[in-house]
Amino acid sequence: MLPQYKHIKDIDEEVYDALQKEHERQNYKINLIASENYTSKAVLEAQGCIMTNKYAEGYPGKRYYGGCENVDIAERLAIERCKRLFGAEHANVQPHSGSAANMAVYFTVLKPRDTILSMDVTHGGHLSHSSPVNFSGKLYNVVTYGVSRKDEMIDHDEVLGIARKAKPKLIVVGASAYPRIIDFKRFHEIADDVGAYLMADIAHIAGMVTAGVHPSPVPHADFVTTTTHKTLRGARGGIVMCREEFARDVDRAVFPGMQGGPLMHVIAAKAVCLKEALTPEFKAYQEQIVKNAKALADVLIENRLRLVSGGTDNHLMLVNLRELGITGKDAEAYLSECGIILNKNTIPFEELGPFVTSGIRIGTPSVTTRGMKENEMRLIGSLIARGVQNMGDANVRDKILSEIGALCEKFPVP
Ligand code: DSN
């Protein structure tokens, strides 16, 4: 029995049962999904708090409902902490998600059919930057850049060439599956050259940006968007930051432009996570994420696995499985049976579709939250290599499973 869910158990056995299984899964498997993390108990409490009962359309001090004095405190705290943490002039903490944060920026500066230049999804970009099946690709004329064939990294001269031809109104920089440092200064120069606005989506790297482990886009971009639940390790949600000159328009784009009542419990949880992110422990955590990713990448390379771009500078890496003759889909499924959870991922110049893929994406934020360091990364890396080199083998699976079980016992989810 999980005491924290006792009321759910009383009222709804089915949901309780799913929760119990999820608790087991999160505790007894190794999570290498680059976009996930384990929140602190304080964040969880805030996200489940009574502020969910409150309607608060509007902004602190200017609401459409009475009784907002306490949720105003939470939202003001979230805004102030966000601005302090990132050095931003303005922050809107109401977007329900990263996609909503991106939509708010598009609604601020674009009209339907205006041109966006952003990273191709199969090269690492996000759905809400360019995909034809997403609102971004449906509402706007999207032109994309990718990584170069030469080194599988962004080639800024190539981006500049595409930008000069496409004349975008907005350039989007940021990715869900790019293992290298992003040069925001260079993107600023490209945006200036073609007279475009620049938006940096730092959902994946936000925690590292706060810690100075990854360069910040704030001095260079007109708009910076992020989610709060990845390396930032907070509540599930989004944030938009911008320069003061855009503050009013961004706020109006979020509410009443796109959203009604803000999720005040989530905003309270954002405030808590942003407070945690202002501590020295959080900075050390971010540094360890990167050291862990480097250690893990090195072991994979020693085991003759091919990494996209040859390595990593941040929290994630992509393994190209083509030479092993296996798909990302099969590797994800087999490794999951071994107790290692990660996701199939397209690789640059992908030949298979997004449901099959030729790669897997591996990230270290969650295992680092469990307190694992380089030694554990070396073990996990060798287990992944053994797994993908012996796909389907039941003996190998059982051996990996038992090593993963021991690791999970030793490093419980905090
Ligand atoms: N879907 C997220 C990821 O896994 O990277 C991005 O929003």
Side-chain angles (χ1 to χ4, degrees):
M1 154 83 171
L2 301 167
Q4 68 273 39
Y5 301 129
K6 75 179 165 53
H7 297 99
I8 302 176
K9 182 168 166 47
D10 284 349
I11 232 166
D12 190 336
E13 281 286 349
E14 289 152 293
V15 167
Y16 177 78
D17 189 45
L19 261 173
Q20 197 163 26
K21 288 187 180 125
E22 180 60 8
H23 184 266
E24 287 284 301
R25 192 192 70 78
Q26 290 196 12
N27 281 271
Y28 295 103
K29 295 197 172 185
I30 291 293
N31 182 19
L32 295 171
I33 294 181
S35 49
E36 294 183 3
N37 214 326
Y38 305 106
T39 62
S40 69
K41 296 217 165 33
V43 166
L44 266 189
E45 271 177 20
Q47 188 144 359
C49 79
I50 54 168
M51 287 191 180
T52 193
N53 297 335
K54 189 73 198 93
Y55 251 118
E57 284 176 0
Y59 290 99
K62 291 169 285 179
R63 305 280 192 186
Y64 288 83
Y65 292 83
C68 288
E69 58 274 20
N70 304 312
V71 294
D72 276 3
I73 296 173
E75 185 162 348
R76 283 200 178 102
L77 283 170
I79 292 167
E80 286 314 311
R81 288 171 184 167
C82 180
K83 284 163 57 178
R84 182 142 56 97
L85 187 64
F86 289 96
E89 289 179 16
H90 180 74
N92 185 309
V93 297
Q94 292 194 1
H96 301 332
S97 66
S99 291
N102 292 342
M103 185 187 259
V105 174
Y106 303 165
F107 281 13
T108 299
V109 292
L110 301 174
K111 287 201 248 350
R113 287 178 295 283
D114 277 348
T115 300
I116 301 177
L117 174 63
S118 59
M119 193 173 203
D120 189 281
V121 178
T122 61
H123 285 236
H126 187 254
L127 199 67
S128 64
H129 297 173
S130 63
S131 172
V133 297
N134 179 262
F135 77 90
S136 52
K138 288 184 204 283
L139 282 185
Y140 305 106
N141 171 41
V142 175
V143 178
T144 58
Y145 57 89
V147 297
S148 93
R149 278 195 187 268
K150 177 172 50 85
D151 56 9
E152 296 173 323
M153 297 194 212
I154 295 169
D155 176 339
H156 298 91
D157 291 334
E158 199 180 304
V159 179
L160 177 61
I162 300 171
R164 282 181 175 164
K165 232 163 124 186
K167 300 186 178 43
K169 194 154 179 200
L170 176 71
I171 296 179
V172 176
V173 57
S176 293
Y178 185 66
R180 296 300 183 175
I181 295 285
I182 296 178
D183 188 342
F184 295 117
K185 184 167 175 289
R186 190 77 176 89
F187 268 88
H188 181 188
E189 287 161 7
I190 295 169
D192 266 0
D193 186 282
V194 299
Y197 295 109
L198 181 65
M199 177 188 110
D201 178 344
I202 59 166
H204 265 259
I205 57 172
M208 287 173 280
V209 166
T210 69
V213 180
H214 189 292
S216 170
V218 171
H220 307 295
D222 300 298
F223 305 93
V224 176
T225 61
T226 185
T227 52
T228 40
H229 49 275
K230 298 186 175 85
T231 47
L232 213 43
R233 207 164 58 181
R236 189 160 286 273
I239 290 178
V240 185
M241 290 167 267
C242 63
R243 289 209 298 273
E244 196 54 49
E245 66 188 277
F246 300 110
R248 192 167 166 272
D249 289 342
V250 163
D251 286 352
R252 287 175 62 79
V254 175
F255 173 85
M258 300 158 42
Q259 294 184 177
L263 309 177
M264 295 314 305
H265 56 305
V266 176
I267 289 172
K270 285 174 185 171
V272 174
C273 109
L274 292 163
K275 179 160 190 179
E276 289 174 350
L278 283 158
T279 61
E281 292 76 19
F282 192 77
K283 184 173 191 303
Y285 163 63
Q286 298 299 327
E287 287 164 356
Q288 192 62 46
I289 289 177
V290 176
K291 286 186 203 159
N292 280 355
K294 178 98 182 65
L296 187 43
D298 287 348
V299 177
L300 297 176
I301 293 165
E302 279 162 28
N303 281 277
R304 301 180 309 284
L305 293 183
R306 194 167 112 47
L307 299 196
V308 169
S309 82
T312 177
D313 300 325
N314 58 22
H315 63 305
L316 70 81
M317 63 216 74
L318 287 169
V319 184
N320 178 340
L321 300 168
R322 260 184 212 147
E323 282 157 27
L324 290 175
I326 61 175
T327 65
K329 182 179 176 203
D330 289 343
E332 176 192 298
Y334 178 66
L335 289 171
S336 172
E337 285 177 30
C338 299
I340 297 173
I341 308 299
L342 42 68
N343 64 284
K344 60 180 170 285
N345 214 100
T346 53
I347 55 171
F349 313 104
E350 180 61 76
E351 287 165 5
L352 308 175
F355 293 109
V356 180
T357 82
S358 309
I360 48 175
R361 185 182 68 165
I362 302 176
T364 55
S366 295
V367 286
T368 309
T369 293
R370 291 179 85 143
M372 296 184 201
K373 297 217 160 97
E374 287 91 328
N375 277 342
E376 290 72 41
M377 296 308 113
R378 283 190 267 277
L379 173 62
I380 293 173
S382 67
L383 295 176
I384 292 172
R386 212 189 310 162
V388 295
Q389 285 158 355
N390 294 278
M391 288 272 298
D393 186 317
N395 281 334
V396 171
R397 181 198 58 209
D398 291 347
K399 284 198 185 111
I400 297 177
L401 206 47
S402 117
E403 298 225 37
I404 291 293
L407 201 55
C408 291
E409 289 285 348
K410 198 163 161 201
F411 293 91
V413 174

